[in-house]
Amino acid sequence: MKDGYKKLTADEFREFESWIHENNQELYDNKIAYEVRWTNDKDYYVKLLDENIYTISDVLLDIHQELV
């Protein structure tokens, strides 16, 4: 998929949702939303709709650092 979507596995998407839940207030305050598309083979495609403060790469890096 293109146009700024990042492909995530089901496990990665669960971690992404957890991060969203933990940072929900900050995302709300900064009016940052995201879009998710998925396929039948359980791949998820995630895109932040406003990347002025965070990019999807920043979010995934933060998730990875929390897991280490």
Side-chain angles (χ1 to χ4, degrees):
M1 203 161 271
K2 54 184 177 179
D3 299 328
Y5 286 90
K6 180 71 175 172
K7 181 180 176 182
L8 303 177
T9 65
D11 288 337
E12 290 170 330
F13 183 68
R14 266 192 293 284
E15 293 165 1
F16 174 79
E17 284 187 312
S18 177
W19 187 91
I20 291 293
H21 179 70
E22 293 170 9
N23 295 281
N24 190 37
Q25 187 62 47
E26 183 177 357
L27 296 174
Y28 176 79
D29 291 344
N30 291 296
K31 297 177 181 33
I32 299 173
Y34 64 97
E35 182 177 332
V36 179
R37 297 179 182 184
W38 59 92
T39 62
N40 291 338
D41 57 355
K42 298 184 182 181
D43 286 328
Y44 294 84
Y45 295 87
V46 179
K47 176 181 180 179
L48 293 183
L49 299 180
D50 180 358
E51 292 192 324
N52 288 326
I53 296 173
Y54 291 113
T55 65
I56 190 67
S57 296
D58 294 334
V59 171
L60 297 175
L61 180 62
D62 191 39
I63 291 169
H64 178 71
Q65 289 176 344
E66 288 177 4
L67 295 175
V68 174

